[in-house]
Amino acid sequence: LGLEEDQTKEVAMHMENYIDKKILFNLKNYREDIVNNLKRNRFNIIEKISILNRIDKMQHSNSRQEIEKYAKDLNRIVNNTSAGINTKRDLRRSVEQLEEWKAFEVYRRKSDSINKKVDFLDKQLKQEFSDQISNINSIEKLSDLKEAEKRIEELKESISVANRDLLKETEELLDLKTGMLLSEKSRELKEKIKSFKLPENESQGLEEEIDAIKDASDYQKFLKSLSEYQEKIEENRINVS
């Protein structure tokens, strides 16, 4: 508010630079957290190499599928080590944060790439793609994903073969946004599970189920199961008291 157009662009440019540096800082920071954890605790050389190898592969990933694959590999390796419960939990949290920031980095990179290509389209297509990207960027709830998917499907019917690759990139952008939203909801669910004060094996089992959620449909099913699980816990507490 109160800024001239040139000033607005300058502020936006500084903000973009800050966000990019923040992403790189956090990626470096969470990788160091994992490395330091490996140094502090008694992991064997094979475990250390396996974990560091997956981290490096994740940091060179360019899609949601690749990022999630290496995150799952990391969690599987961590869970199979002989490390203590707290060490495993700390490592899983660092992996989760690393996964989220990497997804955000790829999302921003892909969004910038699409926007540059959109500038070369004719007026109508440029408007359609710009609206599509703006819509994806503004999504804040899982329930809004279906509308974005519908709009992409509608665009598929009218778009030329020459622009199919650009539409595919837009689909990938939406897929990344889906993953980011699910990660956010995953954190919320894990905090909720902590409030149950369950035995460690039950708590870890539920967290692993959360990590296995792939889409909004899986998330809704898990919410229903969790609600039923919570009701059983409350019933048991009442019976015990």
Side-chain angles (χ1 to χ4, degrees), residues 36-86:
N36 290 334
N37 203 324
L38 294 177
K39 288 177 180 177
R40 286 195 309 269
N41 297 283
R42 293 183 178 180
F43 291 91
N44 64 49
I45 189 67
I46 294 176
E47 290 170 343
K48 288 181 180 179
I49 291 173
S50 296
I51 289 171
L52 293 174
N53 175 265
R54 297 312 191 285
I55 290 172
D56 290 339
K57 286 184 176 180
M58 184 196 287
Q59 291 191 307
H60 287 90
S61 297
N62 290 304
S63 70
R64 175 189 170 190
Q65 288 75 17
E66 288 180 343
I67 295 167
E68 289 184 353
K69 176 186 182 302
Y70 295 122
K72 286 177 181 177
D73 283 351
L74 280 163
N75 283 323
R76 175 180 53 77
I77 294 167
V78 168
N79 288 335
N80 289 336
T81 65
S82 58
I85 290 171
N86 292 332

Side-chain angles (χ1 to χ4, degrees), residues 110-121 133 166:
K110 192 169 289 293
S111 181
D112 287 343
S113 172
I114 295 170
N115 281 321
K116 286 175 183 175
K117 292 173 183 177
V118 165
D119 283 339
F120 294 96
L121 298 175
I133 296 162
L166 187 56

Side-chain angles (χ1 to χ4, degrees), residues 10 63 85 143 154 162 172 192 201 224:
E10 185 178 354
S63 70
I85 290 171
S143 56
E154 289 172 352
E172 291 169 355
K192 185 177 181 67
N201 63 326
K224 183 179 178 182

Side-chain angles (χ1 to χ4, degrees), residues 131-171:
D131 289 347
Q132 196 73 258
I133 296 162
S134 178
N135 179 50
I136 292 171
N137 286 334
S138 66
I139 293 173
E140 295 182 354
K141 298 182 294 183
L142 287 168
S143 56
D144 294 333
L145 292 171
K146 285 187 178 179
E147 181 60 30
E149 290 168 358
K150 181 183 175 184
R151 291 179 68 176
I152 287 177
E153 288 302 316
E154 289 172 352
L155 194 54
K156 275 182 183 178
E157 295 176 5
S158 59
I159 201 166
S160 66
V161 175
N163 293 308
R164 287 282 166 86
D165 286 345
L166 187 56
L167 185 60
K168 184 180 178 183
E169 285 189 63
T170 307
E171 285 185 281

